[in-house]
Amino acid sequence: MKKKELIEKLNNYGLKATHQRIAVLDTLLKTKTHPSAEELYKIIVKQYPTISLATVYKTLDSFKEVGLVKIIKTDCDYLRYDAIISNHFHLYNPAQNKLEDYYDNDLKNMIENYFKNKKIDNFELKEINLQLIGDFK
Amino acid sequence: MKKKELIEKLNNYGLKATHQRIAVLDTLLKTKTHPSAEELYKIIVKQYPTISLATVYKTLDSFKEVGLVKIIKTDCDYLRYDAIISNHFHLYNPAQNKLEDYYDNDLKNMIENYFKNKKIDNFELKEINLQLIGDFK
DNA sequence: TTAGTTGCAAACAGTTTGCAACGAC
DNA sequence: GTCGTTGCAAACTGTTTGCAACTAA
């Protein structure tokens, strides 16, 4: 994504387009591993040596607040971030600590249809959070 | 569950039946809210004033190692524990931080059948981790 | 110009660890 | 008696915060 587009995206979400935010958003969009704040920081600091880890945290928190990213929790002991593109699931392997996106509209539709017919007592479903645990081959 | 049964259960899983472990297992089985280590500690310490928080952590970790409990991660910033009884899903509300078991064999079978026919490329599915996010009424 | 953002260092929360005393087997 | 477990305090890790300096709009 070009710098101009990144700025536009930030503005669309009501955020000032600072260098730091542009760098974080750019890096997060480019990184497919669902990185932690620290991982993002280590990548960004190479191009942008004055950025601080706290800023990465604050930036990710702002992004989360406006809905630009989601937090993913896995078995590992830090938060991972997911730049939101569309509704999807995750594949995860605890031993490798590897997390991948999994797009499957059939599965998504199947589950959504299931809950159109079947209502859960005393619960109004808003969102489905599905992690598929297994081994990458 | 009676004390005798608790001891038996611990032994079956290869664990020495100490007072502390009996208390933690007993409390965890009785508590339906999927408590954190600290919550369990606060309950147990009333009956057993000398137990320490570190012991609760160590105990829960032993339980996890042998497969007596599972860790559940939600939006909240501590770990919650689930005494394993059978395969089930979870309902979760982030605002209330409320987590409930959700048993639904139809849903479970539907998803399992789906993956009998549809294989994921380069991934061998072992386990399904499903959280239903929404509002309790 | 100014309200919001950054960077630093210090604080924080939940969890883990080292180790001497203890207890289950 | 032995070896694993406990309890304490201290350490650790990831994350958050307070605040003065800075900067995008």
Side-chain angles (χ1 to χ4, degrees):
Chain A
M1 208 181 263
K2 285 178 192 156
K3 191 169 175 182
K4 216 169 202 171
E5 295 174 279
L6 293 166
I7 293 171
E8 214 172 296
K9 186 157 193 165
L10 289 167
N11 289 333
N12 287 343
Y13 280 84
L15 296 175
K16 275 192 190 173
T18 64
H19 296 142
Q20 292 87 338
R21 283 176 179 169
I22 294 166
V24 172
L25 183 57
D26 190 33
T27 308
L28 188 59
L29 288 169
K30 280 179 184 153
T31 311
K32 300 297 179 198
T33 54
H34 299 301
S36 64
E38 188 122 19
E39 285 171 314
L40 282 171
Y41 169 73
K42 281 182 185 163
I43 296 167
I44 296 165
V45 83
K46 288 177 194 164
Q47 307 285 338
Y48 195 139
T50 60
I51 201 173
S52 84
L53 179 57
T55 299
V56 174
Y57 273 106
K58 284 175 186 167
T59 302
L60 289 168
D61 193 59
S62 313
F63 287 4
K64 185 192 68 185
E65 288 306 315
V66 300
L68 253 174
V69 306
K70 261 193 189 170
I71 287 173
I72 317 171
K73 296 208 177 180
T74 66
D75 255 13
C76 73
D77 52 4
Y78 49 79
L79 304 177
R80 305 172 77 141
Y81 294 85
D82 195 356
I84 296 168
I85 296 155
S86 77
N87 211 321
H88 60 273
F89 307 119
H90 290 117
L91 307 178
Y92 181 64
N93 178 278
Q96 299 174 266
N97 196 19
K98 186 174 170 185
L99 183 66
E100 266 189 18
D101 285 334
Y102 176 61
Y103 296 89
D104 186 337
N105 279 318
D106 293 340
L107 177 62
K108 187 170 161 279
N109 291 332
M110 186 181 75
I111 296 174
E112 281 174 6
N113 282 327
Y114 179 84
F115 283 113
K116 273 182 192 149
N117 301 314
K118 165 143 191 172
K119 297 295 172 200
I120 305 170
D121 281 353
N122 305 316
F123 192 76
E124 195 192 334
L125 181 60
K126 289 274 174 69
E127 199 186 322
I128 291 161
N129 189 341
L130 178 68
Q131 260 181 38
L132 302 168
I133 316 294
D135 295 322
F136 290 94
K137 286 180 282 197
Chain B
M1 208 182 264
K2 283 177 193 156
K3 192 169 174 182
K4 217 170 202 173
E5 295 174 278
L6 293 167
I7 292 171
E8 216 172 296
K9 185 157 194 165
L10 288 168
N11 290 334
N12 287 343
Y13 280 84
L15 296 175
K16 275 190 189 174
T18 64
H19 295 143
Q20 293 87 340
R21 284 177 178 168
I22 294 166
V24 172
L25 182 58
D26 190 34
T27 308
L28 187 59
L29 288 169
K30 279 180 186 154
T31 311
K32 300 298 179 200
T33 54
H34 298 300
S36 64
E38 188 120 21
E39 284 171 315
L40 282 170
Y41 169 73
K42 281 182 186 163
I43 296 166
I44 296 166
V45 84
K46 287 177 195 166
Q47 307 286 338
Y48 195 141
T50 60
I51 200 172
S52 84
L53 179 57
T55 298
V56 175
Y57 274 106
K58 285 174 185 169
T59 301
L60 289 167
D61 193 58
S62 313
F63 287 3
K64 185 192 68 184
E65 288 307 314
V66 299
L68 254 173
V69 306
K70 261 194 188 168
I71 287 174
I72 316 171
K73 295 208 176 180
T74 65
D75 255 13
C76 72
D77 52 6
Y78 49 81
L79 304 177
R80 305 173 77 141
Y81 294 85
D82 195 355
I84 297 168
I85 296 155
S86 76
N87 211 321
H88 60 273
F89 307 120
H90 290 116
L91 308 177
Y92 181 64
N93 179 277
Q96 300 174 266
N97 197 19
K98 187 174 170 185
L99 183 67
E100 266 190 17
D101 285 333
Y102 175 62
Y103 295 89
D104 185 338
N105 279 319
D106 293 340
L107 178 61
K108 186 168 162 282
N109 291 333
M110 186 181 74
I111 296 174
E112 283 174 4
N113 282 326
Y114 178 82
F115 284 112
K116 273 182 191 152
N117 300 316
K118 164 142 191 172
K119 297 296 174 199
I120 305 170
D121 282 352
N122 305 316
F123 191 77
E124 196 192 333
L125 182 60
K126 290 273 174 69
E127 199 184 322
I128 291 161
N129 189 340
L130 179 67
Q131 259 181 39
L132 302 168
I133 317 294
D135 295 321
F136 291 94
K137 285 180 283 198

